[in-house]
Amino acid sequence: MEYEKYHKNDIVTVTIEDIGNDGEGIGKVDGYTLFVKDAVIGDTVEVRITKCKKNYGYARMEKVLVPSSFRVEPKCGFHRQCGGCQIQAMRYERQLMFKQDKVRNNLLRIGGFTTEQVDAVMEPIIGMEEPWHYRNKAQYPVGYDKSGKLITGFYAGRTHDIIANTDCALGAPENKDILEAVLAYMRENHVTAYREKEGTGLVRHVLIRTGFQSGEIMVCLVINGKKLPKEERLVERLKGVTAKRCVVSVSVSVNTERTNVIMGKEIRVLWGKDRIQDTLGGITFAISPLSFYQVNPVQTEKLYGLALDYAGLTGKETVWDLYCGIGTISLFMAKKARQVYGVEIIPEAIADAKENARSNGIDNVKFFVGKAEEVLPTFYAAGNVSETLAKKASCECGEDERKKSNGAFSDEQMRHPDVIVVDPPRKGCDEKCMETMLAMHPDRIVYVSCDSATLARDLRVLCGGGYELKKVRAVDQFGGTVHVETVCLLSQLNV
Ligand code: SAH
């Protein structure tokens, strides 16, 4: 065979001409394709082949021979080991172009749209003004290095070996001082760190959440036991961390299970508040250690602002927000709509959503617990079909609430809303859900997606069912990584 001339451990020189979906560099030697992690498009690199397949292989970057004009000095010295920021060595503008192209290519290849169609509807990607220190949540494992020294940092890519680093370039700048304070408390008071293999030792993780608007910081230690020794000393240490933003909440979460799940179910506040606050689009959210909350608040505001803009609300509309989480989009929309209905599978998230609606004085939104693909068909059917079907829905709005509402849940507007918004997880929308969405015949569908491949697959279904793709725009929520969010507007075809 022609390509049998390459073997594992061969050293070759390759020029990187393309970028793979996971951010890896792609180049060819003598027509043989190599995937090279950490190589930047335009680089000429010396690589060591790590795996040979018939038509392609994988290689490890050993040396950059000629750096690409898109290559920058990575901000974090650990970025290759960590793997969290796959494309940190790429100039930010080029990262944005890569993300825009990724969405575009998926629309062409998977969505089946033509180049003309895509070019006519696609708006330029919205980037970040400051692509560093944007995350408001971080979870650091605590453990020991090879010499037995107490450390905290991150797991080396695909392993559970901890590499010491208290200064992640994506986290809030205060995290470093907070982590150092936790380590100092542990050393002084002989508090042990968890040893995963043995299941012994006490402190497993440190969770830090920051309200970027409110300036409030929450620190939660996840422990393999009931109690921390000399808790008050930890609190004193953390209160002593002085920065622009301050620690206002210190808690422990008990997790004695031998599991990869980080947080335990039970939270005990040691000092200060049980929740911190933050504001998104003028709406205040209360965040506990266990609540879901978008990790990049600055870009989330832009993302949901765009979804709101695409929804084209005037105050008269009925809106369904499917996969609504803690109701962020629902509450954004409620300010401009007549009535919003949110659906989400996790009961705790719906409890938070209701509380957020209440504390912000928003009363034109109702939330239902259940699968979108079950709740939506039930309500669609409720106007003309049996009670049995309605009962089957795993939504909390059962018989009693339906009666109390004097039929408000089976009204025509609910069955035929003006707008349906979806923000599904990576696997995209369920088929049954899309089938019902099409049957409900809303004027507009706004699709918010964190995976442009499943987005493209679903758009093909929706466009095949009487809708037209009107607008597409990517929003970068995660600088340095290969992830990208996309918002799309679909309108009913008037034929
Ligand atoms: N818009 C939300 C986040 C959406 S993330 C916000 O801003 O907070 C996707 C959400 O879909 C998650 O909360 C997940 O729990 C929920 N989910 C997953 N599968 C679902 C299903 N089949 N039906 C309804 N919700 C689902």
Side-chain angles (χ1 to χ4, degrees):
M1 282 287 298
E2 196 184 341
Y3 295 127
E4 279 176 2
K5 61 181 174 186
Y6 295 116
H7 299 100
K8 187 172 169 176
N9 284 326
D10 281 356
I11 303 275
V12 293
T13 296
V14 54
T15 297
I16 304 299
E17 288 165 353
D18 205 351
I19 316 168
N21 267 341
D22 296 324
E24 71 278 24
I26 305 175
K28 282 188 175 163
V29 266
D30 272 349
Y32 185 68
T33 302
L34 284 178
F35 294 92
V36 190
K37 187 174 152 308
D38 303 322
V40 173
I41 187 164
D43 278 344
T44 297
V45 287
E46 188 176 276
V47 303
R48 178 186 295 273
I49 296 181
T50 50
K51 202 181 212 176
C52 273
K53 301 253 187 181
K54 195 166 155 224
N55 299 317
Y56 62 90
Y58 296 92
R60 189 189 146 74
M61 185 170 81
E62 296 280 314
K63 209 192 283 173
V64 179
L65 299 175
V66 186
S68 160
S69 59
F70 302 121
R71 176 172 277 284
V72 288
E73 187 60 37
K75 210 178 177 92
C76 169
F78 300 102
H79 97 280
R80 287 188 69 180
Q81 282 157 283
C82 167
C85 297
Q86 305 90 344
I87 50 175
Q88 195 183 110
M90 192 188 287
R91 194 175 294 285
Y92 185 61
E93 293 70 28
R94 190 65 187 79
Q95 291 184 20
L96 291 179
M97 202 166 133
F98 158 70
K99 295 185 190 196
Q100 167 106 354
D101 286 348
K102 183 162 157 173
V103 175
R104 190 172 183 278
N105 289 336
N106 281 332
L107 292 177
L108 296 174
R109 284 190 212 141
I110 305 172
F113 297 96
T114 64
T115 318
E116 293 73 35
Q117 280 173 318
V118 173
D119 289 346
V121 297
M122 200 155 176
E123 305 185 274
I125 184 166
I126 300 177
M128 297 167 59
E129 267 145 51
E130 174 55 52
W132 304 110
H133 300 296
Y134 56 79
R135 284 186 62 101
N136 60 11
K137 173 184 172 183
Q139 298 173 120
Y140 297 85
V142 183
Y144 299 96
D145 68 8
K146 292 210 169 66
S147 67
K149 187 177 160 222
L150 178 70
I151 53 168
T152 180
F154 57 90
Y155 292 127
R158 290 186 289 271
T159 75
H160 270 202
D161 298 337
I162 302 171
I163 297 192
N165 177 21
T166 51
D167 202 10
C168 168
L170 303 191
E174 295 84 3
N175 291 0
K176 184 173 192 298
D177 290 345
I178 291 170
L179 293 170
E180 298 295 348
V182 172
L183 291 180
Y185 150 79
M186 288 178 68
R187 279 192 302 263
E188 280 167 17
N189 298 288
H190 310 288
V191 179
T192 53
Y194 185 58
R195 292 181 189 269
E196 203 175 8
K197 283 195 191 87
E198 293 82 23
T200 58
L202 194 57
V203 179
R204 299 171 73 128
H205 272 87
V206 182
L207 164 76
I208 308 175
R209 303 189 84 162
T210 309
F212 281 10
Q213 286 277 341
S214 65
E216 295 181 334
I217 301 176
M218 158 183 284
V219 181
C220 178
L221 265 59
V222 184
I223 55 173
N224 176 39
K226 281 265 170 281
K227 208 173 166 325
L228 279 173
K230 308 207 174 65
E231 293 171 346
E232 66 292 348
R233 294 197 184 166
L234 171 69
V235 172
E236 279 318 306
R237 278 265 175 200
L238 289 171
K239 278 160 70 176
V241 174
T242 48
K244 210 167 71 210
R245 300 185 275 227
C246 296
V247 177
V248 298
S249 165
V250 182
S251 57
V252 289
S253 167
V254 174
N255 182 359
T256 52
E257 309 272 313
R258 296 192 67 171
T259 161
N260 281 341
V261 176
I262 296 179
M263 300 298 293
K265 291 189 184 74
E266 184 194 320
I267 307 283
R268 189 164 48 85
V269 177
L270 303 184
W271 173 78
K273 306 182 176 184
D274 63 346
R275 283 148 191 252
I276 56 166
Q277 286 206 331
D278 202 27
T279 320
L280 267 185
I283 300 164
T284 305
F285 293 89
I287 308 157
S288 79
L290 295 175
S291 334
F292 173 84
Y293 187 63
Q294 293 285 344
V295 296
N296 181 343
V298 174
Q299 291 302 98
T300 299
E301 225 168 58
K302 295 184 193 167
L303 182 77
Y304 293 170
L306 186 64
L308 183 61
D309 180 31
Y310 282 5
L313 304 178
T314 64
K316 297 196 194 102
E317 293 79 6
T318 304
V319 181
W320 278 93
D321 176 20
L322 308 179
Y323 310 89
C324 72
I326 57 161
T328 325
I329 297 180
S330 318
L331 298 178
F332 260 56
M333 301 267 165
K335 286 185 166 179
K336 299 260 173 76
R338 180 190 75 93
Q339 178 70 41
V340 178
Y341 301 104
V343 183
E344 158 65 43
I345 199 168
I346 299 177
E348 290 82 3
I350 288 291
D352 282 347
K354 288 183 170 174
E355 181 54 29
N356 292 330
R358 200 198 52 76
S359 64
N360 285 282
I362 299 174
D363 57 10
N364 57 337
V365 39
K366 286 217 172 322
F367 293 105
F368 306 115
V369 180
K371 292 185 182 167
E373 61 273 25
E374 290 177 5
V375 173
L376 202 63
T378 305
F379 281 103
Y380 179 60
N384 52 7
V385 186
S386 71
E387 290 294 307
T388 353
L389 199 70
K391 269 189 210 152
K392 254 170 65 184
S394 56
C395 68
E396 63 166 25
C397 168
E399 197 75 352
D400 290 348
E401 236 183 291
R402 201 188 313 279
K403 278 187 191 141
K404 255 194 305 190
S405 72
N406 294 327
F409 292 143
S410 57
D411 73 19
E412 271 308 290
Q413 278 152 321
M414 196 173 194
R415 297 184 65 236
H416 294 293
D418 302 281
V419 179
I420 299 182
V421 184
V422 296
D423 183 8
R426 284 193 191 164
K427 68 173 189 209
C429 287
D430 182 273
E431 268 188 40
K432 178 77 191 158
C433 178
M434 287 194 285
E435 211 177 277
T436 315
M437 285 163 64
L438 291 173
M440 287 178 137
H441 233 324
D443 293 342
R444 295 177 290 287
I445 297 173
V446 178
Y447 196 133
V448 183
S449 160
C450 55
D451 184 326
S452 54
T454 57
L455 166 71
R457 180 202 67 197
D458 291 351
L459 288 181
R460 188 186 261 264
V461 175
L462 297 170
C463 290
Y467 282 80
E468 186 182 7
L469 185 59
K470 289 283 193 188
K471 284 179 183 168
V472 178
R473 192 160 198 182
V475 180
D476 186 24
Q477 295 254 82
F478 307 108
T481 79
V482 294
H483 303 294
V484 59
E485 296 272 330
T486 312
V487 188
C488 295
L489 169 65
L490 295 140
S491 282
Q492 215 184 99
L493 271 176
N494 294 318
V495 279

